[in-house]
Amino acid sequence: MAQNTYKYRKQKPKRRSSFLPSITGMIDKRFQIALGIILQGISIFLLLAFVGHLVHGKADQSTIEAAHALGIKVAGAEIRNWLGLVGAMSAYYFMFRWLGIAAFLLLPPLYLLGYYSIYSRLPGDISLYRITLGAIFSILWINVALGYVDLLVPQTALLETLVGGVGFELSLLFDSLLGWGTLIFLLTALGIFLLYFFNITSLPRLFKSTPTPKTLLEAYVEESPEQSIDVLATEQEIGVAPQQPLHSPATEQKEAIPHLSTVEDIPLEIEAAHEAPAASPNEGPSFTVAPSKSQEKPAEQLENYDPKLDLSAYQYPTLELLDEHAHTKVAVSPEELAQNKDKIVETLTNFKISISSIKATIGPTVTLYEIVPEAGIKISRIKNLEDDIALSLAALGIRIIAPIPGKGTIGIEVPNKHREMVPMRAILATEKFMKSPMELPVIMGRTIANETYVADLARMPHLLIAGATGQGKSVGLNVVLASLIYKKHPSQLKLVLVDPKKVELSLYNKLERHFLAKLPGDDEPIITETKKVIHTLNSLCLEMDQRYELLKEAGVRNIKEYNERFVQRRLNPEKGHRFLPYMVLVIDEFADMMMTAGKEIETPIARLAQLARAIGIHLVLATQRPSVNVITGIIKANFPVRISYKVTSRIDSRTILDAGGAEHLVGRGDMLLSMNSEVIRLQCPFLDTEEVERVCDYVGAQRGYESAYLLPAYEDEQEDRGEVDLGEKDPMFEDAARLIVTHQQGGTSLIQRKLKLGYNRAGRLIDQLEAAGIVGPFEGSKAREVLVPDEYSLELMLKGLEEEVSN
């Protein structure tokens, strides 16, 4: 049985030239547009020149060959080509001397390249890569084929005008090497090219084979033998491994010592920062999926379905696409640690609070001082001294954790004077991310103990992000998206991106044929208009309903079990089953959507948040205004995992986290993660826009699917569809009416699913049923009321309608 395993190829280190970014910056949009216009002009010029050559080529040939002797003016006067001497010479070399009639195939790629340079995209579902590949093959194949035919049938005037010099020379070469075998070679090459170009995976049988005891369909739908699967186990599915114990035996002895009352008497225990193990910085990540052990496969059982087969040559992004940055260790001097320790102890002593020990853990952004108060000291007294400690340390962003969850200590977070940048490349190279068994691993950042924190979006199941302008929210979104793109194959993940600001997520346009999903008929894969956002959210609800129907028919509870059965070919595609990729909806500025659409946005968002986890649809919402009218109670209840960057007030912090502290963050990626009833301080990795662009360029340049992943078509039932003429009823009208009355449920999705119709046709049927009085009017999120109680009443109504129409 085929096993779904994949691994990154280790690539040789490449040194990226430092002047490339500067050249990229010099090529501004004006240059791109000018270049595009030039390329399109050249293609049109050559087209006219080539056509002119077909008409006047023989008359112009002698003049062109004698142009050097005649001179430009004399030769140009005698040329009959429509584009003069330049056009005649261009056509002479391209068509007569080189490529013959196949030279016309150079023009579509050249024109489309100009179009792409102007608009940064191509119209419709056109793929420049496929067209260029097809043009190159066709030019070579046509030259060899026509040249060889010209050898077999000499003295043919028509062939002489079609075959170029390259074709003639190639045909002589192949004839000398293969003789009549040249025809076999040409047919074989054409067949192989069509096989790959049109992704043909099966051919019709020429002869019927003898029936086996078990038919193909029976082998297809039969449940495969019980399998024993090795699962990569981790100590903790979400988050990071527990930190080392706070106190060593020596520390425990110190805590038992007599009361320490002065600053000098209290020692400072310093815990060194633990760097996460990283791969070689010049090697791409190597991700593997554990193979499964199965019983011996019966002879007639098919191999496992491979969802990655359509893009089997897809290459995952490598670490070389990201910058290394200056990754230096945090320089927190012993003097700075001792000074902060003395000031903390002195401030507490001034308020008559005695402590028995203090310990420092140095992180990339802040240093955590853990203190153990003497017996009888109330924690609330220390918590109330937050501003006094900040004043004594002359530092911003002091945060007191009283107590630290799971420990008998109180934490005081103090920002470092010199902060460490956490590069995205270093985090991606860590073993914790590279070998993560999570379904949707997302990098969150580094903890105070310098440990990489990776969470599973599939288990969250949704993420809410807030933060004031310029505090790192957009970088955090890019980190989330980059984590998924680096880890998942395009067949396993689809992204629905909503960007009201129209600039933040525009870089991901290049991933349209790999990772993006959109509504049918939409030109832009990144959604920016509020009306299209509403339609997309409702379309995702339809996708959710369809997926739940598939899970119900398969008898499974979640997408993971469903896809396992489909991969093992235990579900029949002829019954509508398909491989289900994970889908992640990202809305960059949720507040803007709520202000313009309100309930029309909140209702489908709440429905998706409540129900979509099991079928693999997950939501990531980001906003810079965490007010209660944006983050409503319904939304908060369904987004248990939340991230807050620095906000302006304690009220905003409590709105997003249900706790204070976010107002004391120091910005630039410093954040608090609320997860599993615990608030953790992290430093978000830095990912520059240019790095994101390089990753998107790398993925977008590869062969993708024919189009973006198409969501179910959605039509707003509140929009005016005009008068309904029952004299022109849909042929499926009566079937739809009986279906609605039998189920006593009126809805477009039911008709679409049961009658296997498109959404637009199902919508027209609902309109006709409403006009006939079988279902009630549209009532927003409520299902339509069915006005006919039983099938007998329906038959009488249908008969009456027929008589009325006939009269």
Side-chain angles (χ1 to χ4, degrees):
M1 182 178 296
Q3 297 176 347
N4 288 342
T5 62
Y6 66 100
K7 181 180 291 185
Y8 278 77
R9 288 188 307 177
K10 291 187 176 180
Q11 301 184 6
K12 294 182 179 180
K14 299 179 183 177
R15 295 192 63 182
R16 188 165 57 250
S17 179
S18 60
F19 64 82
L20 286 180
S22 61
I23 292 180
T24 304
M26 293 169 58
I27 304 178
D28 60 12
K29 190 61 179 177
R30 294 171 297 176
F31 179 84
Q32 294 178 19
I33 294 175
L35 178 63
I37 294 174
I38 292 173
L39 292 176
Q40 290 184 331
I42 292 174
S43 65
I44 296 172
F45 181 91
L46 291 177
L47 175 63
L48 295 176
F50 292 173
V51 175
H53 178 80
L54 295 178
V55 179
H56 305 293
K58 287 190 175 180
D60 292 341
Q61 182 174 342
S62 59
T63 305
I64 294 172
E65 292 174 348
H68 292 290
L70 296 175
I72 295 177
K73 292 183 179 180
V74 177
E78 295 183 11
I79 287 295
R80 300 175 63 182
N81 191 292
W82 305 326
L83 298 180
L85 182 60
V86 174
M89 294 192 71
S90 300
Y92 172 80
Y93 280 97
F94 274 102
M95 298 192 69
F96 181 78
R97 299 291 297 273
W98 296 339
L99 303 178
I101 194 68
F104 279 95
L105 295 175
L106 292 172
L107 305 182
L110 184 62
Y111 183 87
L112 290 174
L113 182 60
Y115 187 99
Y116 183 85
S117 181
I118 296 172
Y119 300 104
S120 299
R121 60 182 303 276
L122 292 178
D125 296 328
I126 295 176
S127 170
L128 181 60
Y129 171 82
R130 288 173 59 82
I131 288 180
T132 305
L133 184 65
I136 294 173
F137 175 84
S138 301
I139 288 172
L140 295 174
W141 192 90
I142 290 173
N143 271 278
V144 176
L146 291 179
Y148 190 74
V149 173
D150 187 48
L151 285 178
L152 298 180
V153 188
Q155 305 301 323
T156 304
L158 177 62
L159 283 177
E160 289 179 356
T161 62
L162 300 181
V163 180
V166 172
F168 182 77
E169 294 295 332
L170 285 177
S171 63
L172 288 176
L173 175 63
F174 276 88
D175 184 63
S176 62
L177 293 175
L178 301 176
W180 283 90
T182 303
L183 294 176
I184 300 175
F185 170 81
L186 287 171
L187 294 176
T188 303
L190 179 62
I192 294 175
F193 174 77
L194 295 176
L195 188 73
Y196 279 93
F197 191 80
F198 295 103
N199 195 27
I200 300 173
T201 57
S202 63
L203 296 174
R205 292 188 178 182
L206 298 178
F207 304 99
K208 293 185 178 179
S209 58
T210 306
T212 57
K214 186 175 294 183
T215 66
L216 181 63
L217 182 61
E218 290 173 346
Y220 192 91
V221 300
E222 180 187 49
E223 294 191 357
S224 58
E226 294 294 329
Q227 296 184 347
S228 174
I229 301 177
D230 290 340
V231 181
L232 293 174
T234 57
E235 180 176 334
Q236 191 170 351
E237 291 186 349
I238 298 182
V240 295
Q243 299 182 10
Q244 294 183 354
L246 176 64
H247 302 293
S248 62
T251 306
E252 293 176 357
Q253 288 183 357
K254 291 177 183 177
E255 293 178 353
I257 62 178
H259 173 67
L260 303 175
S261 56
T262 64
V263 170
E264 292 75 10
D265 292 336
I266 301 178
L268 174 64
E269 180 183 352
I270 302 175
E271 183 175 279
H274 301 285
E275 286 287 346
S280 174
N282 291 325
E283 295 182 359
S286 175
F287 305 144
T288 33
V289 177
S292 60
K293 299 178 181 178
S294 60
Q295 297 180 359
E296 187 176 351
K297 177 184 68 176
E300 58 277 281
Q301 184 177 333
L302 297 177
E303 293 184 348
N304 277 1
Y305 169 78
D306 184 4
K308 299 189 283 291
L309 188 61
D310 289 341
L311 296 183
S312 57
Y314 174 78
Q315 295 292 320
Y316 289 76
T318 63
L319 294 181
E320 295 176 357
L321 299 170
L322 305 180
D323 295 332
E324 293 187 25
H325 295 290
H327 186 207
T328 57
K329 205 171 183 180
V330 177
V332 180
S333 63
E335 293 78 11
E336 181 181 347
L337 292 174
Q339 185 180 18
N340 288 341
K341 167 251 181 182
D342 291 345
K343 289 181 178 179
I344 290 173
V345 175
E346 183 179 355
T347 302
L348 295 176
T349 303
N350 291 339
F351 288 91
K352 299 181 180 179
I353 297 176
S354 300
I355 59 175
S356 58
S357 66
I358 183 169
K359 171 185 174 183
T361 303
I362 305 170
T365 305
V366 299
T367 297
L368 174 65
Y369 295 88
E370 298 181 56
I371 62 175
V372 179
E374 289 286 356
I377 301 297
K378 290 185 177 181
I379 293 178
S380 59
R381 292 181 60 192
I382 301 177
K383 181 69 175 175
N384 293 334
L385 296 177
E386 191 170 68
D387 294 336
D388 298 281
I389 296 175
L391 178 63
S392 66
L393 294 174
L396 296 176
I398 298 296
R399 177 170 169 262
I400 294 181
I401 312 170
I404 296 178
K407 298 182 179 180
T409 60
I410 295 172
I412 302 175
E413 295 173 349
V414 181
N416 298 329
K417 291 182 180 179
H418 304 285
R419 296 173 54 182
E420 174 189 3
M421 175 187 289
V422 179
M424 182 67 173
R425 176 169 177 164
I427 300 293
L428 285 173
T430 58
E431 184 176 353
K432 182 165 290 183
F433 181 78
M434 289 169 53
K435 297 185 178 180
S436 170
M438 301 174 183
E439 293 294 322
L440 295 175
V442 174
I443 291 174
M444 292 295 173
R446 277 194 175 166
T447 65
I448 291 177
N450 260 344
E451 294 180 339
T452 300
Y453 197 105
V454 181
D456 192 354
L457 182 60
R459 294 181 61 87
M460 286 185 186
H462 311 295
L463 179 61
L464 185 61
I465 303 174
T469 303
Q471 302 303 320
K473 183 168 60 356
S474 297
V475 174
L477 275 181
N478 286 330
V479 168
V480 170
L481 292 172
S483 302
L484 298 173
I485 293 170
Y486 263 87
K487 190 69 173 177
K488 307 302 289 187
H489 188 272
S491 64
Q492 301 169 327
L493 172 69
K494 299 300 173 185
L495 303 172
V496 181
L497 304 182
V498 177
D499 182 14
K501 291 188 284 189
K502 304 181 181 180
V503 294
E504 293 293 345
L505 302 179
S506 59
L507 293 174
Y508 297 95
N509 265 315
K510 301 168 185 175
L511 307 182
E512 178 176 356
R513 289 184 171 84
H514 297 83
F515 286 102
L516 300 190
K518 67 178 184 179
L519 288 173
D522 276 4
D523 295 331
E524 297 292 337
I526 309 296
I527 307 154
T528 58
E529 300 176 9
T530 302
K531 184 177 180 181
K532 289 186 178 181
V533 174
I534 297 172
H535 288 188
T536 302
L537 292 176
N538 284 281
S539 177
L540 279 173
C541 290
L542 293 177
E543 174 82 10
M544 178 181 69
D545 294 337
Q546 292 177 8
R547 290 189 173 203
Y548 267 116
E549 190 70 22
L550 292 175
L551 262 63
K552 176 184 175 184
E553 294 174 2
V556 296
R557 297 176 300 172
N558 55 56
I559 185 176
K560 186 175 181 181
E561 295 176 4
Y562 178 89
N563 283 338
E564 286 177 355
R565 289 201 177 190
F566 188 85
V567 166
Q568 296 166 7
R569 299 190 184 271
R570 297 163 64 183
L571 301 174
N572 191 350
E574 295 181 0
K575 295 183 179 180
H577 291 290
R578 55 192 169 93
F579 184 84
L580 301 179
Y582 284 96
M583 302 189 72
V584 179
L585 168 66
V586 178
I587 301 181
D588 181 38
E589 188 43 73
F590 184 60
D592 182 76
M593 295 286 98
M594 289 292 289
M595 288 177 62
T596 54
K599 288 293 182 183
E600 291 181 281
I601 292 288
E602 183 181 8
T603 300
I605 286 286
R607 188 163 183 261
L608 289 169
Q610 291 168 350
L611 301 174
R613 170 184 178 176
I615 44 84
I617 299 178
H618 303 278
L619 281 60
V620 178
L621 307 183
T623 179
Q624 63 182 0
R625 294 195 299 273
S627 55
V628 292
N629 59 337
V630 173
I631 305 176
T632 62
I634 295 177
I635 291 176
K636 286 185 66 174
N638 294 288
F639 284 78
V641 180
R642 305 166 202 157
I643 289 175
S644 179
Y645 295 91
K646 182 176 176 61
V647 294
T648 56
S649 67
R650 183 179 180 86
I651 296 176
D652 289 346
S653 177
R654 296 192 66 85
T655 301
I656 182 68
L657 297 175
D658 292 328
E663 72 277 12
H664 294 310
L665 299 176
V666 294
R668 288 173 37 182
D670 189 19
M671 70 183 198
L672 294 177
L673 170 66
S674 175
M675 189 174 190
N676 298 331
S677 302
E678 183 180 1
V679 178
I680 305 169
R681 191 165 187 172
L682 302 171
Q683 175 63 42
C684 178
F686 178 71
L687 184 63
D688 196 11
T689 303
E690 292 183 359
E691 297 176 80
V692 177
E693 188 172 8
R694 287 197 293 268
V695 173
C696 293
D697 287 340
Y698 181 86
V699 174
Q702 302 183 50
R703 185 177 74 86
Y705 297 104
E706 291 297 324
S707 67
Y709 183 91
L710 296 181
L711 300 171
Y714 174 79
E715 186 174 328
D716 194 344
E717 297 189 23
Q718 291 179 318
E719 295 179 356
D720 183 19
R721 298 192 179 108
E723 295 293 332
V724 178
D725 185 5
L726 292 179
E728 299 179 358
K729 295 194 301 292
D730 190 285
M732 302 290 289
F733 175 81
E734 294 188 2
D735 293 335
R738 294 187 181 98
L739 177 67
I740 291 294
V741 173
T742 300
H743 287 77
Q744 285 296 300
Q745 177 184 347
T748 305
S749 59
L750 177 65
I751 296 176
Q752 184 183 9
R753 190 170 63 252
K754 295 295 184 181
L755 299 183
K756 295 181 173 62
L757 301 177
Y759 189 83
N760 292 335
R761 187 177 179 186
R764 288 193 296 270
L765 278 169
I766 281 290
D767 290 340
Q768 293 176 1
L769 293 172
E770 180 184 351
I774 297 175
V775 298
F778 177 72
E779 298 181 9
S781 60
K782 294 182 180 179
R784 288 178 182 262
E785 181 184 1
V786 181
L787 304 178
V788 181
D790 50 49
E791 294 186 36
Y792 177 74
S793 302
L794 175 64
E795 295 301 328
L796 293 178
M797 179 177 289
L798 294 177
K799 185 177 180 181
L801 286 174
E802 287 295 331
E803 294 175 355
E804 182 180 344
V805 171
S806 60
N807 292 334

